[in-house]
């Protein structure tokens, strides 16, 4: 049996559930695993980690984070680096030429990363590709919004969704004009899109790893529970099979020649069972453990 070369691997964002899963998987393959975070986190306690390090918070100090990483990767002779959360992924995606020449990575282009991080752009891409997506209204800068117009166009309730967020942060389910006025006063509508509410008939996630649009690995899960119930991160899930969702996911990644990990989320219409595209997470996902237990070792 051919032995796997022992590598020095750096995993960012130790606070993330997926970071812990990556460390466990990579350590089991015999690699030296380094993990970083801006504060103490549970991954620091894992016996799969060889070295832990505190670094500047990429959410607050992106330039300092990048400078730290450049030096650390070089000093420790890191062979491969995994960014996990949106902020670290975005920073590395935009600065690959600043990384040490001997440090490898698997990252999308800045353009394709922004295509999926921005939910408004993802919706427009889905519409162009004839992929089922909720009816969507895109506010125009400086233009006021009329609730009656939105209700007539999108139905009731209406989903107010920030174009850039993770989990269910910043999402509102608007049921009447009073709620609408309160929410509009608390948000910047130019950073939001408004969508029809798809009756909840279940949710699916399709996980993929691809190289320039060519799919290397894929798995699918069915969500048993989410928090909140109206839509958010899964709290209980099982591996599943959904041919249409998987086909759509491949089509999306191929269209932007995606490189790296991505998770495509769908909601099943309670009556038609059609999977509607909700969003694409352009990074590793919190539910990575279900893939490892299913035999799909993305790391």
């Amino acid at each position: 049996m051919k032995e796997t070369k022992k590598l020095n691997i750096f995993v960012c964002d130790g606070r993330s559930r997926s970071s812990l899963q990556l460390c466990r998987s990579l350590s089991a393959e015999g690699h030296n695993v380094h993990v970083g975070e801006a504060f103490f986190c549970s991954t620091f306690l894992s016996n799969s980690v060889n070295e832990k390090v505190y670094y500047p918070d990429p959410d607050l100090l992106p330039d300092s984070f990048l400078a730290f990483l450049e030096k650390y990767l070089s000093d420790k002779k890191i062979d491969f680096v995994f960014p996990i959360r949106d902020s670290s992924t975005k920073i590395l995606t935009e600065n690959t030429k600043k990384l040490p020449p001997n440090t490898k990575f698997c990252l999308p282009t800045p353009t394709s990363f922004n295509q999926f991080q921005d939910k408004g752009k993802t919706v427009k891409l889905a519409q162009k590709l004839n992929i089922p997506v909720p009816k969507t209204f895109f506010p125009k800068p400086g233009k006021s919004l009329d609730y009656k117009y939105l209700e007539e166009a999108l139905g009731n309730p209406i989903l107010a969704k920030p174009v850039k967020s993770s989990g269910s942060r910043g999402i509102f389910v608007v049921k009447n004009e009073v709620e609408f006025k309160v929410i509009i006063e608390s948000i910047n509508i130019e950073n939001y899109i408004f969508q029809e509410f798809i009756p909840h008939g279940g949710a699916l996630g399709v996980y993929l790893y691809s190289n320039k649009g060519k799919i290397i690995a894929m798995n699918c899960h069915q969500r048993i529970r989410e928090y909140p119930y109206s839509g958010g991160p899964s709290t209980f899930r099982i591996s599943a099979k959904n041919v249409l969702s998987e086909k759509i996911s491949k089509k999306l990644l191929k269209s932007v020649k995606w490189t790296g990990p991505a998770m495509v989320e769908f909601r099943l219409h309670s009556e038609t069972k059609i999977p509607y595209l909700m969003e694409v997470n352009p990074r590793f996902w919190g539910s990575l453990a279900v893939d490892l237990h299913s035999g799909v070792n993305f790391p």
Side-chain angles (χ1 to χ4, degrees):
M1 181 182 294
K2 184 180 178 180
E3 289 188 11
T4 301
K5 181 183 176 183
K6 193 172 187 177
L7 303 177
N8 292 318
I9 299 178
F10 189 84
V11 179
C12 302
D13 308 303
R15 75 183 80 173
S16 172
R17 288 179 295 159
S18 52
S19 295
L20 176 58
Q21 300 302 327
L22 259 85
C23 291
R24 288 173 173 171
S25 172
L26 297 169
S27 177
E29 293 291 321
H31 302 303
N32 285 320
V33 180
H34 302 235
V35 66
E37 185 49 272
F39 46 79
F40 183 81
C41 60
S42 59
T43 304
F44 282 179
L45 298 173
S46 173
N47 59 12
S48 62
V49 174
N50 297 95
E51 292 193 41
K52 60 180 183 290
V53 61
Y54 294 94
Y55 55 46
D57 193 329
D59 294 334
L60 306 174
L61 302 164
D63 292 338
S64 298
F65 167 76
L66 178 61
F68 170 88
L69 210 56
E70 288 179 58
K71 186 175 187 307
Y72 189 89
L73 298 179
S74 178
D75 290 348
K76 296 291 184 176
K77 295 181 171 56
I78 299 298
D79 297 296
F80 202 96
V81 59
F82 283 97
I84 305 301
R85 299 174 64 246
D86 280 356
S87 55
S88 61
T89 303
K90 180 178 174 63
I91 292 167
L92 292 192
T93 294
E94 295 175 347
N95 295 279
T96 55
K97 292 182 179 180
K98 293 184 178 180
L99 300 181
N102 293 329
T103 300
K104 304 275 192 300
F105 47 82
C106 191
L107 293 169
T109 64
T111 300
S112 58
F113 177 79
N114 188 52
Q115 175 71 69
F116 287 149
Q117 190 191 32
D118 187 313
K119 295 177 176 61
K121 290 184 177 181
T122 302
V123 168
K124 290 179 180 179
L125 176 62
Q127 292 172 338
K128 181 180 177 181
L129 297 174
N130 294 317
I131 289 171
V133 67
K135 296 176 187 175
T136 304
F137 178 83
F138 302 90
K140 295 181 179 179
K143 295 286 186 177
S144 59
L145 287 179
D146 179 71
Y147 173 76
K148 295 296 185 184
Y149 173 81
L150 286 179
E151 186 180 41
E152 184 175 332
L154 305 177
N156 185 289
I158 297 168
L159 203 66
K161 182 186 292 186
V163 293
K164 293 185 179 181
S165 70
S166 61
S168 57
R169 296 176 184 87
I171 295 177
F172 300 96
V173 179
V174 186
K175 299 176 182 176
N176 54 58
E177 190 166 8
V178 174
E179 291 181 358
F180 180 75
K181 289 180 178 179
V182 171
I183 290 168
I184 288 300
E185 291 177 359
S186 67
I187 65 173
N188 181 352
I189 62 172
E190 292 182 15
N191 296 329
Y192 268 72
I193 56 176
F194 296 84
Q195 294 185 311
E196 69 170 317
F197 184 86
I198 302 299
H200 206 330
L204 295 167
V206 179
Y207 315 103
L208 306 104
Y209 213 104
S210 75
N211 182 21
K212 297 180 181 178
K214 181 181 178 181
I215 306 303
I216 298 169
M218 183 177 68
N219 195 29
C220 179
H221 82 240
Q222 177 183 349
R223 295 182 171 203
I224 307 301
R225 287 198 299 268
E226 295 177 298
Y227 181 81
Y229 174 77
S230 58
S234 60
T235 57
F236 182 44
R237 65 205 75 81
I238 59 172
S239 54
K241 187 75 176 173
N242 188 284
V243 175
L244 181 54
S245 296
E246 293 169 11
K247 183 178 180 180
I248 290 171
S249 300
K250 291 178 182 179
K251 186 176 183 179
L252 273 169
L253 268 60
K254 184 178 180 180
S255 71
V256 299
K257 297 182 179 179
W258 182 261
T259 294
M263 177 187 178
V264 187
E265 295 189 24
F266 298 89
R267 171 171 285 195
L268 298 176
H269 194 290
S270 60
E271 296 178 4
T272 65
K273 301 303 178 184
I274 292 174
Y276 281 78
L277 176 68
M278 292 290 107
E279 61 181 55
V280 180
N281 295 316
R283 50 175 165 74
F284 273 108
W285 41 92
S287 48
L288 179 60
V290 76
D291 305 297
L292 299 178
H293 288 299
S294 301
V296 186
N297 193 332
F298 283 99

